Amino acid sequence: MTLLWIPMLTLLGVLVPALTAQRGRPICTLATAALPTLALILTLAQFPAIADGEYPRVALEWMPQLGLDLAFRLDGLSLLFNILILGIGLLILLYAHYYLDKSESHGRFYAYLILFMASMVGIVMADNLLVLWVFWEMTSLSSFLLIGFWSHRSEARKGARMAMTVTGAGGLALLAGFLLLGDIVGSFDMQTVLDSADLILADPRYPLVLILVLLGAFTKSAQFPFHFWLPHAMAAPTPVSAYLHSATMVKAGIFLMARLHPALAGSELWTALVAVIGITTMVYAAWFALVESDLKGILAFSTVSHLGLITVLLGIGSPMAVLAALFHILNHATFKAALFMCSGIIDHEAGTRDLSRLGKLAKAMPITCLVMSIAGAAMAGFPLFNGFLSKEMFFESTLHTQALGGLSLILPVLATIGGALSVGYSVRLVHAVFFAEPRHAPPKHPHEPPRLMRAPAELLAALCVAIGLFPALMATWLLAPAVEAVLQAPLEFHLAIWHGFNLPLAMSGAAAAAGITAYVLHRYIRRFIRDFPSRNANLIFEGTVQYISDKAEVVTEFFDNGSLQRFMALLIGTALLMGAIGLFQVETLTGPKGNQPLDGVLILGAVLLIFTGIGTAVTHRQRLLSLIMLSVVGLIVSLTFARFSAPDLALTQLSVEVVTMILLMLALFFLPQKTPRESSPGRSLRDVIMCSGLGVVIAALNYAVLTRDTSTISSFFLENSVPGGGGHNVVNVILVDFRGFDTLGEITVLAIAGLAILKLLNRLRLFMPHSDSDGRIWCPDRYPMILTTVSQPVLPLALLVSVFIFLRGHNLPGGGFIAGLITAVGLILVYMARGVDWTQQRLAFPYQPIAILGVGIATLTGFGSWLFGYPFLTSSYDHFHIPLIGDLELATALLFDLGVYLAVVGATLMILANLGKVTTSHRPSKDDSTPIPSGLHRTDVIDAANPKPDAKETV
Amino acid sequence: MELLYAITTGVLSASGLYLTLRGRTFPVVVGLTLLSYAVNLFLFSMGGLTSNAPAIIGDSSHYSDPLPQALVLTAIVIGFAMTAFAVILAMRARGDMGNDHVDGRKAEDRGERR
């Protein structure tokens, strides 16, 4: 389990800077360093086991159905990378401590940095493809945060976005590749995949898998043609560049290729793709490094170039090449981190990174000069430095490979050219900054940085020399297990600084000579390339992004241009098309069951429904008439329910109908009374045809289903209603027991709708006419005598009926919903007859708490079953009978229904009574559309709306 | 009987849909209400059309299908909540935008006199 602590400690470390940021930077830095240090120690503690050829691993089941285990391993390869990630990460932390400006948020920076570190550790230790992928995406996200750390700078934002887009897109390709790989192998377990090379190579999907995985690796490791994001990522603070582009982020792609080497590499396709892309990247980027004039730009392109070098080696794939690749990963991480740190120091102390403004700094910064010279020499591959050794091995590998068949000779040639360019830009980097005469003066007077800011770079430079001088001593212990992990077999090798006079040495010599010449002739080269049109990758990228988003906008605009009518028409058209296609495949519309006989009442009802349904649509410009038609539809629908054996539905529909109509009447008062004629005849015709079409489809579908036998699960409810739910009314038992969770959700929605309406009514600006649309003022009799008189006895009656309906609900038609609606209707009648003021004095309780109480009671009833060890809302019928209280089964069902009742009453009145209250500060005005603020006397909507029918509004 | 029922459902749906395509809020709300009636009838009928056999145990030998009924019962109440929300939203839109057009743009933006 200690293994699990390595990634977990690092991940936990993200919280440390957040917690200690307020305590000052020194404490924060030290505290932040603690957990990664511990992780590094734990990693090193595993070394003896790894050196013995085992690899410790740990796996926790996460989602076993998906083959996803939280599995980590620590083999030689993970060890090498973990040391680089954690070790250099700690050095970067120290460096950043001095680098960041006092005003900058070190807590946030450290948190991002540690998050990134943890993601990298996760990648290299993952023992499951999917786990690897999750951490892979985490590096994309955290590097986005790091690169865009200076978010006030446009270039930082753009650079971060570009890195995110490119590596994120690669990540998606990688996921696809991993899923295919898992499908081929039958497991996402790393070792199973690594052991299944034969299976993978034989699969016809292998080329696709390879390309998808390589897309992920190449985008991450900035290989041509995806290299362009890396130079733009230099907008990040230098510690970030030093970390991401030496030891970590860009090495993730390399790591992936090394990790999957045993599984994927054994084909010509692998060699050709990886080697060609690698060598192209190496030479191409080296050329740009030579002609770049920004210090970090040179380093960025040189990083891309060296990544290309490692890629070539992995492409060649011979044991020696793999060794060289791993060796160069180590060497590159040391010298490139040192170089980035030095460039950051120079930027920090001299105020610029522009080579034309830098020069002669050797005197002012002698130690930085020494450090950077050592690291530069290592990058150039000069003897006695570590870069020399891996570069020699690289040359050697290119000479001995037949990877490209007859064209294999091109590899050493291009390698030498790349090496020469590498010498050229390395020499230029050091010479131009420290020894050459500057063309312009730097903005600041340069001097040495604080002692400890330099320390990390000094340590790394010392390592460059130490490894360069004593490779066998310094590097073999680390490389041997790593090579074993990649090759899946131990490799005998000996690292030495001197191999005698041989061809690789000659290539190095040629490269050094050519490189120095190139630097001497640098002026002419720059003049030569000035004639080429310059292409800024950022502009191209931004242009492409803009183009895609423009096109996407056009498409979106077509479907959703802000017009609801357009949107609805598309929706209806699509439904019509899909429904018609489906129906077209039905062979006979009338099913085997056929029709039941008709009777006169049914025909009358249907004719009325059809007439009023069409009438609602036809008269929609005269809104009141349309509304009356609608109410007739609602009434007949409730009769239909009653006719077809659904008394509960009929009762619900009837009471909802009353409430809905009152609501719509009220609302209509505040809206224009008539609809202007707007649609063109063509438009209306189109709508009629389309809606009729969909109506026909719906009717046909309904008919087709009704005349067929359908299988149903209802027999379960019918059989278990009495024994399981203790009620004879199956519909009610379903609502409060079998499907109680649905009902709970539903009353919650109802309560939320009520609250949302309350919010919408808040500070509502109202338009209220003082007369109807024909200019007749409303009836002055605000509280009609008959209504007032009638409403008085109706309320207690309604309440009585509610109680009756509620109590019998479990066994006969009724229940909480219907009872709640009846209570609400009774109360609303009082509001209408007496006005808000009168009613408020007598019924002074708010409705929001009632609705919430209802939902609460229902929820608590559900929790109640937990107390007895049963799942949420379990039927408690035969689980507990307590004397004195009696049959508690009935009590719990009633309790839930009580919640429903309260929620319905509360929500309904919240909607209607609050709508009634909003009108009290506005006077009805003459002009339909001009509100007059500050009312003269308080009116209630309900008062005002109520006389409307009396006012004989013509429609 | 089934044919007549289906035709009724279709007519109500078509009328409701036609209203939802109108350009002013109130007809759209009315249309949604009408459409929800039609949908409720449709869903209810999925259990078949049964006469004189409510799903109350002990009343008769066969029962109508209680499951669609329970679903439609909640649908009716939810439909009310939706209608209420939509119509109050329409009022709010008129208050804030100065018109009752469904596109939710201000009167000035629509080139109209308020």
Side-chain angles (χ1 to χ4, degrees):
Chain A
M1 283 311 269
T2 42
L3 206 57
L4 195 62
W5 282 109
I6 300 173
M8 287 306 144
L9 279 179
T10 329
L11 202 55
L12 277 178
V14 178
L15 299 175
V16 175
L19 295 173
T20 54
Q22 300 301 319
R23 303 181 176 276
R25 194 176 289 180
I27 290 178
C28 184
T29 309
L30 280 175
T32 307
L35 287 179
T37 311
L38 201 56
L40 186 59
I41 292 168
L42 286 177
T43 304
L44 291 172
Q46 300 287 336
F47 176 71
I50 296 166
D52 287 345
E54 359 173 335
Y55 65 94
R57 48 178 307 196
V58 59
L60 297 181
E61 270 198 356
W62 189 0
M63 284 181 251
Q65 303 90 330
L66 297 177
L68 178 53
D69 292 339
L70 195 61
F72 294 102
R73 61 152 67 192
L74 192 69
D75 58 4
L77 189 64
S78 314
L79 181 79
L80 168 69
F81 271 93
N82 254 4
I83 289 173
L84 288 178
I85 293 161
L86 294 166
I88 294 188
L90 287 167
L91 295 179
I92 295 290
L93 199 62
L94 177 60
Y95 178 76
H97 175 80
Y98 293 97
Y99 181 88
L100 287 181
D101 199 76
K102 294 243 179 324
S103 62
E104 282 169 324
S105 161
H106 52 267
R108 194 160 61 92
F109 185 83
Y110 290 170
Y112 293 167
L113 197 72
I114 302 295
L115 179 65
F116 181 80
M117 184 189 277
S119 321
M120 279 306 297
V121 169
I123 289 183
V124 301
M125 288 185 65
D127 200 22
N128 180 300
L129 289 181
L130 296 178
V131 173
L132 194 159
W133 186 79
V134 169
F135 284 107
W136 183 276
E137 290 299 280
M138 270 173 65
T139 60
S140 292
L141 286 174
S142 48
S143 66
F144 172 81
L145 294 171
L146 282 170
I147 295 169
F149 182 72
W150 284 328
S151 54
H152 54 280
R153 298 188 187 173
S154 153
E155 69 203 59
R157 293 196 304 270
K158 283 181 181 164
R161 192 170 63 182
M162 190 192 278
M164 175 82 167
T165 312
V166 176
T167 59
L172 289 180
L174 183 66
L175 177 63
F178 278 178
L179 292 177
L180 277 176
L181 205 53
D183 196 40
I184 293 172
V185 179
S187 164
F188 292 109
D189 176 65
M190 188 65 79
Q191 197 55 45
T192 316
V193 171
L194 296 185
D195 290 338
S196 312
D198 297 337
L199 195 64
I200 296 167
L201 291 178
D203 197 279
R205 287 169 290 178
Y206 168 72
L208 185 61
V209 171
L210 183 63
I211 287 169
L212 287 170
V213 170
L214 286 182
L215 270 177
F218 287 168
T219 46
K220 204 75 157 182
S221 283
Q223 295 297 293
F224 183 85
F226 308 109
H227 60 283
F228 56 89
W229 69 263
L230 201 147
H232 288 282
M234 290 300 136
T238 302
V240 174
S241 311
Y243 195 39
L244 264 59
H245 304 140
S246 66
T248 53
M249 166 109 160
V250 293
K251 291 279 169 65
I254 302 285
F255 167 82
L256 185 71
M257 286 191 270
R259 173 59 91 207
L260 294 178
H261 197 272
L264 294 177
S267 74
E268 286 176 5
L269 185 64
W270 164 281
T271 313
L273 268 177
V274 178
V276 169
I277 294 286
I279 199 85
T280 313
T281 310
M282 179 187 171
V283 177
Y284 179 87
W287 169 259
F288 280 96
L290 185 68
V291 298
E292 178 67 44
S293 63
D294 173 40
L295 211 51
K296 274 175 82 177
I298 296 175
L299 292 176
F301 279 111
S302 78
T303 301
V304 177
S305 174
H306 280 265
L307 292 168
L309 187 158
I310 301 169
T311 306
V312 177
L313 284 167
L314 288 170
I316 293 171
S318 64
M320 209 31 90
V322 170
L323 174 65
L326 295 172
F327 196 19
H328 201 68
I329 288 171
L330 175 66
N331 294 337
H332 178 253
T334 49
F335 66 68
K336 190 52 63 70
L339 283 170
F340 267 116
M341 288 178 185
C342 288
S343 80
I345 290 171
I346 292 164
D347 188 13
H348 213 253
E349 307 303 334
T352 180
R353 300 188 323 231
D354 187 356
L355 276 193
S356 65
R357 304 182 69 180
L358 292 167
K360 287 266 179 204
L361 292 183
K363 203 169 275 173
M365 315 171 80
I367 298 175
T368 309
C369 169
L370 180 67
V371 169
M372 193 150 169
S373 304
I374 292 171
M379 179 159 79
F382 288 146
L384 305 183
F385 301 100
N386 58 358
F388 173 73
L389 301 167
S390 44
K391 190 194 60 178
E392 290 289 288
M393 289 159 76
F394 166 61
F395 285 162
E396 175 117 23
S397 299
T398 60
L399 282 170
H400 289 129
T401 182
Q402 297 301 320
L404 302 181
L407 287 174
S408 295
L409 193 62
I410 206 166
L411 278 180
V413 174
L414 286 174
T416 314
I417 293 173
L421 291 168
S422 183
V423 171
Y425 62 68
S426 304
V427 170
R428 174 160 173 252
L429 194 65
V430 175
H431 187 264
V433 172
F434 292 105
F435 303 104
E437 202 66 49
R439 272 180 284 170
H440 313 281
K444 282 208 255 178
H445 185 69
H447 55 84
E448 283 287 356
R451 179 74 194 81
L452 279 172
M453 185 176 185
R454 229 168 41 204
E458 288 168 1
L459 179 66
L460 289 167
L463 277 176
C464 288
V465 179
I467 297 174
L469 290 177
F470 312 106
L473 185 69
M474 297 295 298
T476 306
W477 63 277
L478 194 54
L479 289 177
V483 171
E484 189 181 334
V486 177
L487 297 176
Q488 299 279 297
L491 177 74
E492 283 293 321
F493 65 91
H494 179 68
L495 298 174
I497 37 174
W498 182 247
H499 289 280
F501 291 101
N502 53 13
L503 201 50
L505 191 67
M507 286 161 76
S508 289
I516 291 169
T517 316
Y519 174 56
V520 173
L521 301 175
H522 189 252
R523 210 156 14 118
Y524 303 101
I525 295 173
R526 285 176 68 88
R527 197 175 297 164
F528 168 68
I529 59 154
R530 204 172 295 154
D531 296 334
F532 287 96
S534 72
R535 284 182 303 126
N536 187 338
N538 206 8
L539 290 180
I540 299 171
F541 178 80
E542 291 291 327
T544 314
V545 169
Q546 194 61 44
Y547 177 80
I548 293 171
S549 78
D550 286 350
K551 290 290 164 204
E553 208 159 293
V554 171
V555 175
T556 312
E557 186 71 9
F558 172 76
F559 288 108
D560 182 12
N561 61 351
S563 162
L564 185 71
Q565 286 168 282
R566 159 83 67 95
F567 204 70
M568 279 302 297
L570 282 168
L571 196 69
I572 293 172
T574 312
L576 175 59
L577 191 69
M578 292 304 174
I581 291 173
L583 277 177
F584 189 70
Q585 293 160 353
V586 177
E587 282 171 15
T588 51
L589 194 59
T590 311
K593 247 169 79 178
N595 276 290
Q596 296 176 42
L598 278 169
D599 61 44
V601 179
L602 279 176
I603 296 174
L604 180 66
V607 169
L608 263 175
L609 263 186
I610 292 171
F611 174 75
T612 47
I614 295 175
T616 311
V618 170
T619 59
H620 76 270
R621 261 188 283 283
Q622 292 138 337
R623 293 181 172 181
L624 190 63
L625 185 58
S626 179
L627 201 53
I628 290 167
M629 295 272 195
L630 181 72
S631 70
V632 177
V633 176
L635 285 176
I636 301 176
V637 166
S638 84
L639 290 178
T640 311
F641 289 142
R643 169 69 181 75
F644 293 113
S645 316
D648 288 276
L649 285 190
L651 285 172
T652 315
Q653 175 67 43
L654 192 66
S655 37
V656 163
E657 184 60 27
V658 174
V659 181
T660 308
M661 282 310 134
I662 294 170
L663 173 81
L664 289 180
M665 283 284 200
L666 266 173
L668 184 57
F669 176 69
F670 300 103
L671 292 166
Q673 310 298 308
K674 294 188 177 184
T675 310
R677 186 178 288 277
E678 277 182 330
S679 305
S680 64
R683 174 74 165 269
S684 299
L685 187 65
R686 182 202 76 175
D687 290 350
V688 167
I689 291 172
M690 207 158 63
C691 296
S692 311
L694 191 51
V696 168
V697 167
I698 291 170
L701 191 62
N702 199 358
Y703 182 65
V705 176
L706 279 177
T707 51
R708 281 166 170 78
D709 275 317
T710 47
S711 65
T712 170
I713 55 169
S714 295
S715 54
F716 170 83
F717 298 117
L718 289 168
E719 281 159 19
N720 288 289
S721 178
V722 177
H728 289 79
N729 182 1
V730 188
V731 176
N732 185 269
V733 175
I734 291 176
L735 285 175
V736 299
D737 194 334
F738 293 128
R739 310 290 304 165
F741 199 51
D742 290 355
T743 309
L744 179 62
E746 193 218 3
I747 57 173
T748 312
V749 170
L750 194 64
I752 290 173
L755 290 171
I757 284 167
L758 195 61
K759 201 70 198 157
L760 276 179
L761 290 174
N762 190 23
R763 293 163 173 269
L764 172 65
R765 224 165 28 149
L766 289 168
F767 292 77
M768 290 190 297
H770 83 311
S771 62
D772 75 359
S773 49
D774 292 334
R776 283 167 297 212
I777 53 169
W778 306 119
C779 176
D781 185 6
R782 297 175 66 210
Y783 306 120
M785 174 72 90
I786 296 177
L787 189 61
T788 318
T789 318
V790 167
S791 74
Q792 208 97 344
V794 161
L795 180 63
L797 273 177
L799 291 176
L800 196 65
V801 171
S802 300
V803 174
F804 172 64
I805 290 267
F806 175 77
L807 284 177
R808 72 178 214 151
H810 215 46
N811 292 316
L812 288 165
F817 276 114
I818 301 163
L821 286 164
I822 291 174
T823 306
V825 170
L827 286 168
I828 288 165
L829 191 68
V830 176
Y831 272 101
M832 281 171 41
R834 293 291 193 159
V836 171
D837 290 335
W838 188 92
T839 316
Q840 282 297 103
Q841 283 167 9
R842 286 154 184 84
L843 285 170
F845 46 83
Y847 296 112
Q848 294 91 291
I850 295 182
I852 291 162
L853 180 72
V855 177
I857 288 178
T859 314
L860 287 176
T861 313
F863 286 140
S865 55
W866 277 355
L867 293 180
F868 299 89
Y870 292 95
F872 191 65
L873 276 174
T874 303
S875 159
S876 44
Y877 173 57
D878 48 13
H879 298 315
F880 53 104
H881 283 272
I882 301 173
L884 292 177
I885 300 176
D887 189 358
L888 218 76
E889 168 277 319
L890 192 62
T892 49
L894 265 189
L895 205 57
F896 185 80
D897 222 12
L898 181 67
V900 174
Y901 171 81
L902 289 176
V904 171
V905 172
T908 311
L909 283 171
M910 199 160 35
I911 295 166
L912 281 163
N914 283 312
L915 183 55
K917 287 176 205 163
V918 289
T919 47
T920 44
S921 62
H922 286 77
R923 273 277 293 158
S925 62
K926 191 174 172 65
D927 187 350
D928 177 66
S929 55
T930 318
I932 295 175
S934 72
L936 297 176
H937 72 95
R938 293 165 72 82
T939 32
D940 320 301
V941 197
I942 301 187
D943 303 342
N946 180 40
K948 230 191 294 179
D950 298 343
K952 295 192 185 69
E953 182 181 47
T954 37
V955 280
Chain B
M1 187 159 87
E2 273 77 8
L3 184 63
L4 194 62
Y5 189 96
I7 290 172
T8 313
T9 314
V11 168
L12 290 185
S13 312
S15 306
L17 287 168
Y18 178 79
L19 286 175
T20 59
L21 283 170
R22 299 303 93 205
R24 300 288 170 157
T25 50
F26 194 78
V28 171
V29 174
V30 171
L32 282 175
T33 313
L34 196 55
L35 190 60
S36 68
Y37 290 157
V39 171
N40 287 342
L41 283 177
F42 185 94
L43 286 181
F44 166 68
S45 73
M46 290 300 107
L49 300 177
T50 322
S51 304
N52 302 319
I56 292 167
I57 304 294
D59 276 13
S60 61
S61 55
H62 78 292
Y63 305 104
S64 60
D65 193 340
L67 188 62
Q69 294 189 20
L71 295 179
V72 170
L73 200 152
T74 54
I76 291 172
V77 181
I78 286 281
F80 163 68
M82 182 206 67
T83 305
F85 185 80
V87 81
I88 307 269
L89 189 65
M91 280 173 56
R92 179 84 199 194
R94 191 183 185 213
D96 290 358
M97 305 293 164
N99 65 62
D100 67 334
H101 202 276
V102 289
D103 289 352
R105 278 176 289 171
K106 290 205 173 192
E108 305 93 82
D109 302 338
R110 298 183 56 80
E112 285 172 11
R113 194 182 60 87
R114 276 187 63 171

